[in-house]
Amino acid sequence: MPFINTKVSCPISAGQEKSLKEAFGKAIALLPGKSERWLMLNFEENCRMYFQGDGESPAAMVEVSVFGSIDETASARLSAELCGRLEEILQIPPDRTYIKYVPVKNWGWNGGNF
């Protein structure tokens, strides 16, 4: 039950969003036991973001919420992959991207909790 919330300072075209969706869907499998089958994604474009005092250069904030614990080695691989796809698709440099990992103890779905 992962959820990836991505906020970027630039616009995202429909084609770019589809490419990100596909790339993130494949990348989530880098976390043990996770797959696109349960992945939910959100993309927010044109966010007013400042990084190191600079609000002109593109930037991204990605939050990866995962039910249960998050393996450090796997999350490092996922960070590399997400940064690579953001750079490739939206031209956001990895050094202007933050990724926050959030392990979630309780996760609700379909009227109940896991």
Side-chain angles (χ1 to χ4, degrees):
M1 282 126 277
F3 172 62
I4 301 177
N5 189 29
T6 304
K7 296 179 182 186
V8 298
S9 62
C10 57
I12 304 174
S13 71
Q16 289 171 321
E17 185 171 301
K18 183 179 179 196
S19 294
L20 286 169
K21 178 200 79 73
E22 291 170 355
F24 286 17
K26 290 177 185 171
I28 198 63
L30 293 169
L31 297 181
K34 307 303 176 193
S35 71
E36 185 177 24
R37 182 170 188 266
W38 293 101
L39 176 62
M40 182 179 281
L41 298 169
N42 180 56
F43 297 104
E44 296 179 40
E45 64 180 338
N46 295 318
C47 295
R48 292 171 36 175
M49 302 175 80
Y50 293 84
F51 184 68
Q52 298 177 333
D54 176 3
E56 298 298 317
S57 301
M61 177 65 205
V62 181
E63 185 172 316
V64 181
S65 299
V66 177
F67 178 64
S69 62
I70 301 171
D71 179 81
E72 286 185 37
T73 302
S75 66
R77 288 193 302 267
L78 182 58
S79 289
E81 184 64 23
L82 296 178
C83 283
R85 294 319 109 226
L86 286 167
E87 183 173 36
E88 173 189 336
I89 297 165
L90 298 179
Q91 289 72 56
I92 300 174
D95 66 354
R96 294 198 47 89
T97 300
Y98 274 161
I99 301 176
K100 175 183 175 183
Y101 288 91
V102 181
V104 179
K105 181 179 174 183
N106 297 308
W107 199 284
W109 172 72
N110 197 25
N113 285 354
F114 288 96

